């Protein structure tokens, strides 16, 4: 069917097919495959494709979500960074961190989220929570623990640092 179409018509039908696969069929992998191909098309509606890929991250209960979500995050993270779409990027980074199985890798994604929360969105409390999650996942990382302490001191969240330390038994100091 798509083979007989060309150019913009083909891209529009492919985009609609991807949305149908995602929203009605629940085939996230098929939807992402099509949308990834559309990202590379010159003259396509890149914003709509990125938005549709973000939509895949909202379908967390679907089959294959844990496989597809990291792929989607890797595809759109650099696009959102370049566009300075910090709010959208923070949602993508959080979804990526939540589905990453390897604790040090997941911690790295939580640290990236914390950086966006603190530096771009000016939300130190949310940044603290993201760094705290990174510390829970990788308590041996001195760099991550130091980041938690620095953020607590800079944002006046020392009480939350003490509370966090007491809950998890993670050695932090003021």
């Amino acid at each position: 069917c798509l083979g007989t179409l060309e150019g913009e018509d083909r891209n529009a039908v492919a985009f609609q097919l991807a949305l149908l696969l995602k929203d009605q069929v629940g085939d996230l992998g098929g939807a992402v495959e099509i949308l990834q191909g559309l990202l590379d098309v010159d003259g396509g509606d890149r914003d709509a494709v990125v938005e549709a890929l973000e939509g895949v991250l909202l379908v967390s209960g679907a089959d294959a979500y844990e496989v597809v979500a990291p792929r989607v995050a890797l595809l759109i993270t650099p696009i959102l960074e370049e566009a300075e779409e910090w709010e959208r990027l923070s949602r993508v980074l959080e979804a990526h961190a939540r589905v990453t199985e390897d604790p040090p890798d997941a911690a790295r994604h939580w640290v990236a989220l914390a950086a966006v929360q603190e530096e771009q969105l000016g939300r130190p409390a949310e940044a603290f929570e993201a760094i705290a999650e990174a510390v829970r996942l990788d308590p041996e990382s001195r760099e991550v623990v130091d980041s938690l302490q620095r953020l607590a001191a800079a944002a006046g969240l020392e009480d939350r640092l003490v509370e966090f330390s007491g809950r998890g038994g993670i050695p932090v100091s003021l």
Side-chain angles (χ1 to χ4, degrees):
C1 173
L2 287 177
T4 61
L5 297 172
E6 294 183 17
E8 289 182 23
D9 289 338
R10 179 184 173 92
N11 297 340
V13 170
F15 182 75
Q16 291 304 314
L17 176 59
L19 293 181
L20 179 69
L21 288 171
K22 175 180 75 77
D23 297 333
Q24 302 300 318
V25 178
D27 180 2
L28 297 183
V32 169
E33 191 72 32
I34 293 169
L35 293 168
Q36 182 176 1
L38 291 173
L39 274 179
D40 299 328
V41 173
D42 288 333
D45 189 351
R46 188 176 176 108
D47 290 337
V49 173
V50 171
E51 189 173 315
L53 284 165
E54 279 181 272
V56 169
L57 296 176
L58 300 176
V59 191
S60 60
D63 290 342
Y65 177 80
E66 287 77 20
V67 174
V68 173
R71 180 173 159 202
V72 168
L74 290 172
L75 282 171
I76 63 177
T77 293
I79 295 168
L80 295 174
E81 285 175 342
E82 183 179 312
E84 298 181 358
E85 291 280 353
W86 307 120
E87 191 67 49
R88 292 168 68 189
L89 178 61
S90 71
R91 288 190 300 268
V92 169
L93 292 170
E94 182 174 356
H96 197 182
R98 289 190 186 284
V99 297
T100 300
E101 292 182 11
D102 180 61
D105 281 348
R108 187 172 45 88
H109 298 306
W110 286 110
V111 168
L113 172 60
V116 170
Q117 291 285 357
E118 179 186 16
E119 298 164 16
Q120 305 303 330
L121 296 173
R123 298 180 183 156
E126 287 90 343
F128 179 88
E129 292 304 320
I131 288 285
E133 187 60 33
V135 171
R136 280 188 208 82
L137 291 167
D138 193 6
E140 301 302 315
S141 172
R142 191 73 236 159
E143 182 180 337
V144 176
V145 172
D146 289 347
S147 292
L148 182 71
Q149 293 171 318
R150 179 201 56 77
L151 183 58
L157 298 170
E158 292 88 353
D159 57 332
R160 289 182 61 188
L161 180 65
V162 170
E163 177 186 325
F164 174 78
S165 180
R167 275 194 324 247
I170 296 166
V172 292
S173 60
L174 297 175

